[in-house]
Each structure stands twice: as structure tokens, then as C-alpha cells.
Amino acid sequence: MASFSRPALPRRPAVADLIVGIGTLGLVYGIVHVGAGMGAPLEAGRGPAILLDPRMLPYYAGRSLLRMFLAFAFSILFTIVYGYIAAYSRSAERILIPLLDVLQSVPVLGFLSVTVAGFTALFPNRLLGAELASIFAIFTSQVWNMTFSFYHSLTVIPQDLREAARILRLDPWRRLTAVELPYSMVGLVWNGMISFGGGWFFLAASEAITVLGRDIRLPGLGSYLATAVEQADLRAVTWAVVTMVVVVVLVDQLFWRPVAAWTQRFKMEEVDDEEEPSSHVLDVLRRSRVAGAIWRRAVEPVWRAADAALSGLAKVLEGRFASGAAPRVLTRATGAVVGALVLRYAYLALRMLGGMPPGALTGVVGLGLLTLVRVLLSTALAALWTVPVGVAIGLNPRLARVMRPLVQIAASFPANLVFPFLTALYLRYHVNFEIGTIPLMMLGTQWYVLFNVISGATALPADLREAAAMLRLRGWARWRSVYLPAIAPSLVNGCIAAAGGAWNASIVSEIVTWGSTTLSVPGLGAFITQAARVGDWAGIVWGITVMSTLVVLMNRLLWHTLFRTASAHYHA
């Protein structure tokens, strides 16, 4: 299996050197330029004024991109550490995986409410505290899906690969870089793309921080959009949408597509060359001598030093852990610390909730059930159109080559950027918002179902399709006997992710504003948003508790049962 130790070598000098040289200088200058603003003073307690001049959009886009990539870097680090511990420690797995279920059900506003005061206190009167809170909020919208993916990949590594690592006596670090990460790479990159798109979805909430009575605006596309919506400036909203389309396409072409093409070296199965993704950017990097020189003189020495240090550390830890004493001590100490923290904060939360009238507590549960109905409806409606479209794309390689990049770009586009247009339409045509909120939820979550259905249909064995053709199965008979059973596990998996996304999307889709007009429906998402805005801590805590409980119950009682049934009865 390929590993990370050797990059592709440059082959010949060309215009590629000029392109890479200019691109590198531009990238470094851009990072320094937009990064310098992160430490600016916190003007009037709310950050610099957001200007709706379209000429400011390139700078705002740069600030947003820097936050997104910083959050993504932390997400990768967290994913590897958390997923690795959960996969290889049985005792830790019993705590970490259910905890992951709970964490992914906590809305972004919940994390912002908890962290914004702490981060701003670390850097009083500076913008950096709010920047860190924003990056942390984006991190929470990216990381959980990636962590689940990496954990599941580690648990299904083929036994022959594990045996080869054991025979070669690879230490944990070498095993991670030579076997486990390469094996998990394709799924990790695929889920990374989706998770990065999830970060765009909550950009406005992460940059225009309106929690606990605060109103801090960080320069960025999200704040630009929030300000345009507040001022009911449809022209500025259009500029924000156009800019976002350009940014999403550029990120796809300059980052995700080269990464996706590079990860093909880690695939285990043989794939037709015509079906493999390619990237002109990656081709230019491979031909350029400048890229090779940067790798050899800047990246490779750092990588070798880190590789040697981490390999040595891994050997020491492996020796300590092999005796069995260290894991027991560490597990008990960690358990004691975590248990003490949980008890302390559970006591504080119960004392806080004790101040709420019983009717208010049960009322929030009722709001949660209303949101639950919308989540299930939006997931079912999403499946209704994504199943036939996903199967058509997955079974037709030519159509897949055309549609996959378009679907990836559409999925990366933050759907809430079109909320202002839909809100304006709802107001103009007096659309019932009880109905109108469901399409808003679907806009951000339907892609999870589509991606998984395409994946399931692509994996349909050719001999099964040939058998269906020989038996002359047509129409519904072919769907019932071949297609639906084949895609069932992937479809359920997509519905699990879509339902989880819909819970989070309820925060921004059950209450929307256009100028001075606010549309809202009774629901848990609208309740948490209102509680976060006015700093109602009891409401925030109880709202998040109800949402987390409903998400975990739905996952355990409905989705996981469906997944086990689909895997047992409909998958080879």
C-alpha cells in the first residue's frame, strides 16, 4: 500500500515553475495579509463595521477561507487522535462513541454560547478571542462526520494488512502512517469534502456572533451576508452569493480535486483509468521543480524530524502500555477527572433548570417533537428525489463523470445563502412558513443522501445487473429486486447523516429574518436561537439537552435498527 513518505518527484521544468512560484508567493502574501487582521482591536465591543461595498468581498472571502482551513486543520488532528483511541481502546470506545453521538447533536449556537465568553476573556479588547470562538464553532460543524468516518475505517482494516504490519514489527506511529491512514484516506477525504461544506453552512452564525446579548461581527462572507439581510439589501445578498459560488469552485478546483486525485494511489481495488478523478493542478505540481525544491528544503526536513520524534515517542508509549499498568492508571485517572467534571456541571445544570417552571420544561419537549416531525419529513422528501437520481448517476459512468463534480460543488455551496431569496418569496406570496421551513432544512441536508446513494449504486456488482437483464426485470420489479436492496445500507447511512444535519439546520431554518421582518415557527431550533440571542442560559442548556436526547434516541431506536436490518438482509 502507498504511504506518505515520498512525494511525487518533479519531472521537467516548464511553465509549471512559473505558475507554482507565483502561486506560492500569492498564497503566502494572502495568508499574511488577511491573518494580520485577526489580532486587531475589538472596536466598540462588536468588531469592525461590515461594509456592503462589493470591493470588500475578496478580503472578506480571504478572512472566511482562513478560518475555514484553520478549523479544518484542527478537525483533522482531532479526528486522528479521537478516532484512533476509540478504535483501539475497548474501554474508551464505550465512552467516546456515545459521546460523539451527543456532541454532533449539539448545535453550533450551543458551542458558541459556551465558548465565546471564555475566548473573549482570554484576549480582552482584541478581535482574536472572537476569532478563536468563530474557528471553534466552524470546527464543531466539520469534525464529527470525519471522526466517525476515520473510526469506522480503522475498525474494518483487512486482517492481512494488520498481519503484514505485525510481521514487519511496525511501531504504532509507523503503522498509522504506512497502513491505517493510507487505508482510511479515500473515505477521510470524501467525508472531509462534505464536512468542509458543512462549515460553509454555519459560516454566517459563526462570524456574526449574536449570542448572550453580544453582537460581534468578524470580517468575512458570513458577516457580510448577515448585514445584507438585516438591511434587506438584495443586491448585496446577490453579490455574496456570486462570491460564494466563485470561492466554492476555486476551493474545489485548487484544493479538493488535487487531493482527491492524489488519494487514488491509496485505493485497494483496481479502477478503470477513465473513472479516476484527475487534476490539472496536481499535474502542474508534479512537473514543477519549484514545488520539488519547496518540498525538499522546507517540508521534508520538518516531516523527517517530526517522524523520528513521534516514532520514538510511540515506541516508548508502546513499551509502557504493553505492561498493562499504564493503561489502567491512565484510564482510572481519566475516568476520575471526567466523572468529577460531569458531576459538577450536571449539578450546576440541574440547579439552573430548577428555576424553570415545569410547564416551560415540558413545553420545550413539545417543541422538540415538532422539530422531530420536520426532520423526518425533510429526510423523507430528500430521499424521494435523491434515490432515483443517485441510482441513475451511480449506474452510468459517463453521467457520473459529468455529474459528480457538479454535485460536489452544489453540496459545498452553503444553502443558507439562498435563504434570504426564499424568505423574500415567502413574504411576497404569503407562503405558510410551517411548510416553507421544510425546504430550508432540505437544502442543507439532501446531499448526504445523494452522495450515499451514488456510492451504493456504484458498488452494485455488474453480474447482478446482467442477471436482472437476463431475467428481463423491468421497472418496479428491477427496483424492488435489485436496486433498492443493493443501495439499502447506503441509503440508511445517508438518512442518518441527513437527519443529524437537519437537527442542526433547524437552528437557522425555523427562524429567518429579512430586514425588520422575522418569520418563525414553533420548534426547538427557533427556541434555542432565541435563547442564545438573549443569553437565557437555562433555556440554552435545556434546549440542547432535549435536542441531544432526541437525536441519540432516534439514532439508537430508529436509524441504527434500520441500518442493521439493511446490512443483514440486503447486503452481500
Side-chain angles (χ1 to χ4, degrees):
M1 173 171 280
S3 71
F4 301 95
S5 55
R6 294 185 181 182
L9 295 175
R11 293 175 184 167
R12 62 177 186 269
V15 179
D17 287 338
L18 183 62
I19 296 173
V20 171
I22 293 174
T24 304
L25 286 175
L27 180 65
V28 172
Y29 173 79
I31 292 174
V32 171
H33 178 59
V34 301
M38 297 179 80
L42 185 61
E43 298 171 12
R46 71 189 306 268
I50 303 300
L51 306 176
L52 296 185
D53 185 343
R55 289 174 294 184
M56 293 299 295
L57 280 168
Y59 176 72
Y60 289 158
R63 292 290 293 266
S64 295
L65 273 173
L66 185 59
R67 292 186 197 102
M68 289 285 288
F69 276 103
L70 284 172
F72 189 67
F74 286 118
S75 296
I76 293 174
L77 189 62
F78 179 91
T79 290
I80 293 173
V81 174
Y82 196 101
Y84 194 91
I85 294 172
Y88 288 107
S89 170
R90 300 282 294 178
S91 55
E93 183 186 29
R94 285 194 286 270
I95 298 172
L96 295 182
I97 297 305
L99 180 62
L100 209 54
D101 261 343
V102 174
L103 288 173
Q104 74 167 348
S105 66
V106 177
V108 169
L109 282 182
F111 286 112
L112 262 178
S113 300
V114 173
T115 57
V116 68
F119 280 122
T120 51
L122 280 176
F123 302 95
N125 304 319
R126 310 296 297 182
L127 210 56
L128 188 56
E131 290 280 1
L132 292 176
S134 175
I135 291 169
F136 184 78
I138 297 170
F139 162 85
T140 60
S141 64
Q142 295 178 342
V143 69
W144 316 124
N145 185 41
M146 295 167 59
T147 306
F148 268 124
S149 165
F150 185 59
Y151 161 76
H152 284 301
S153 296
L154 291 181
T155 58
V156 296
I157 289 178
Q159 192 56 38
D160 54 348
L161 281 180
R162 294 189 187 280
E163 189 64 20
R166 191 187 63 79
I167 292 171
L168 293 171
R169 297 183 178 179
L170 299 181
D171 61 54
W173 173 248
R174 301 282 180 218
R175 200 167 60 232
L176 177 70
T177 56
V179 178
E180 291 156 347
L181 271 178
Y183 181 80
S184 313
M185 188 53 65
V186 174
L188 193 56
V189 169
W190 189 251
N191 280 281
M193 286 187 216
I194 300 175
S195 301
F196 201 82
W200 284 123
F201 190 85
F202 291 103
L203 193 66
S206 306
E207 290 182 344
I209 302 173
T210 52
V211 296
L212 309 181
R214 293 167 178 253
D215 186 5
I216 303 173
R217 302 295 169 103
L218 298 171
L221 279 176
S223 291
Y224 184 93
L225 177 69
T227 305
V229 169
E230 280 179 3
Q231 298 182 14
D233 188 339
L234 204 56
R235 178 173 164 274
V237 173
T238 306
W239 274 113
V241 171
V242 171
T243 305
M244 183 57 73
V245 171
V246 172
V247 169
V248 167
V249 171
L250 286 177
V251 170
D252 178 74
Q253 293 297 312
L254 299 180
F255 182 73
W256 286 117
R257 199 165 178 82
V259 170
W262 175 73
T263 55
Q264 297 309 302
R265 64 202 298 236
F266 300 117
K267 274 196 167 179
M268 299 285 290
E269 70 273 17
E270 293 293 332
V271 179
D272 190 340
D273 288 344
E274 291 185 0
E275 296 181 23
E276 285 194 8
S278 59
S279 165
H280 295 304
V281 174
L282 185 62
D283 292 341
V284 167
L285 288 173
R286 283 173 168 161
R287 292 192 187 106
S288 167
R289 289 186 305 187
V290 173
I294 291 173
W295 175 270
R296 287 191 301 273
R297 295 177 184 178
V299 179
E300 198 167 49
V302 176
W303 169 252
R304 284 183 176 173
D307 184 53
L310 290 170
S311 180
L313 178 64
K315 287 176 182 174
V316 171
L317 291 176
E318 187 179 31
R320 298 276 177 87
F321 275 64
S323 66
R328 281 195 297 275
V329 172
L330 189 60
T331 302
R332 289 172 183 172
T334 305
V337 172
V338 172
L341 288 174
V342 168
L343 287 175
R344 170 177 167 72
Y345 285 105
Y347 168 73
L348 292 175
L350 286 174
R351 203 170 69 171
M352 183 188 298
L353 295 177
M356 289 182 72
L361 293 171
T362 54
V364 175
V365 176
L367 294 176
L369 295 177
L370 288 174
T371 300
L372 171 64
V373 173
R374 294 189 191 104
V375 167
L376 293 176
L377 273 176
S378 67
T379 306
L381 290 173
L384 205 59
W385 79 266
T386 54
V387 168
V389 172
V391 169
I393 295 174
L395 296 181
N396 188 331
R398 288 185 179 177
L399 184 61
R401 277 199 299 277
V402 175
M403 292 302 298
R404 269 188 171 169
L406 297 177
V407 171
Q408 284 173 14
I409 291 172
S412 299
F413 184 80
N416 52 341
L417 279 189
V418 301
F419 282 15
F421 297 105
L422 291 175
T423 306
L425 284 176
Y426 290 171
L427 288 170
R428 179 167 184 174
Y429 294 105
H430 307 290
V431 175
N432 186 341
F433 196 53
E434 292 274 2
I435 299 171
T437 191
I438 293 175
L440 300 185
M441 273 188 182
M442 284 177 58
L443 282 171
T445 61
Q446 57 198 339
W447 308 110
Y448 294 108
V449 188
L450 181 60
F451 275 124
N452 278 276
V453 172
I454 292 174
S455 173
T458 305
L460 184 67
D463 52 355
L464 198 58
R465 297 170 61 184
E466 290 171 3
M470 289 175 64
L471 293 172
R472 297 183 179 179
L473 293 178
R474 297 281 188 276
W476 173 242
R478 178 174 287 205
W479 274 92
R480 187 184 58 194
S481 305
V482 181
Y483 295 158
L484 288 178
I487 66 169
S490 301
L491 175 60
V492 176
N493 212 25
C495 287
I496 294 173
W503 279 105
N504 240 321
S506 68
I507 299 293
V508 292
S509 56
E510 286 187 342
I511 179 166
V512 294
T513 58
W514 179 247
S516 58
T517 306
T518 298
L519 294 178
S520 67
V521 291
L524 193 53
F527 173 81
I528 293 174
T529 301
Q530 294 282 26
R533 284 179 181 170
V534 300
D536 175 10
W537 271 107
I540 295 170
V541 170
W542 183 235
I544 292 173
T545 302
V546 172
M547 184 174 281
S548 301
T549 304
L550 288 173
V551 171
V552 172
L553 285 176
M554 289 301 296
N555 284 349
R556 299 291 166 184
L557 299 180
L558 175 65
W559 298 120
H560 288 184
T561 304
L562 284 176
F563 186 76
R564 282 195 298 271
T565 304
S567 299
H569 296 283
Y570 301 121
H571 203 249

